[in-house]
Amino acid sequence: MTLAIAGPAAVAQADTVGPTTFETLSVGSVNGQDGWTSTGGFDQSVAATGRYPSNFDAQSLRISNAVTSGTFGDQTFAPPV
């Protein structure tokens, strides 16, 4: 005997945070600012963009590939949801 129970399908929803903006952060390392982490020796910072191109805000996150590593846990991470 087979018993089937049917009901409305659940819709999956993702947790969200945002929108992400760098306008409220200080220029310099993003580590420790508003939940961001970057514990390795990586070349990253909140940088003034001067609104270039014109559709950019005044500050952006800049990440360079000048320093590399085989590790994962000390990369630059956005705040957890």
Side-chain angles (χ1 to χ4, degrees):
M1 175 174 176
T2 303
L3 178 63
I5 299 175
V11 176
Q13 301 229 341
D15 291 334
T16 60
V17 174
T20 299
T21 179
F22 297 101
E23 304 305 301
T24 59
L25 302 181
S26 299
V27 172
S29 176
V30 75
N31 187 44
Q33 295 195 59
D34 202 22
W36 285 80
T37 59
S38 184
T39 58
F42 302 99
D43 183 18
Q44 53 72 26
S45 71
V46 175
T49 60
R51 295 197 179 274
Y52 177 80
S54 60
N55 60 339
F56 274 38
D57 288 332
Q59 293 183 175
S60 299
L61 177 63
R62 179 194 57 76
I63 299 177
S64 168
N65 65 349
V67 177
T68 61
S69 171
T71 64
F72 179 77
D74 57 353
Q75 298 285 335
T76 301
F77 290 98
V81 181

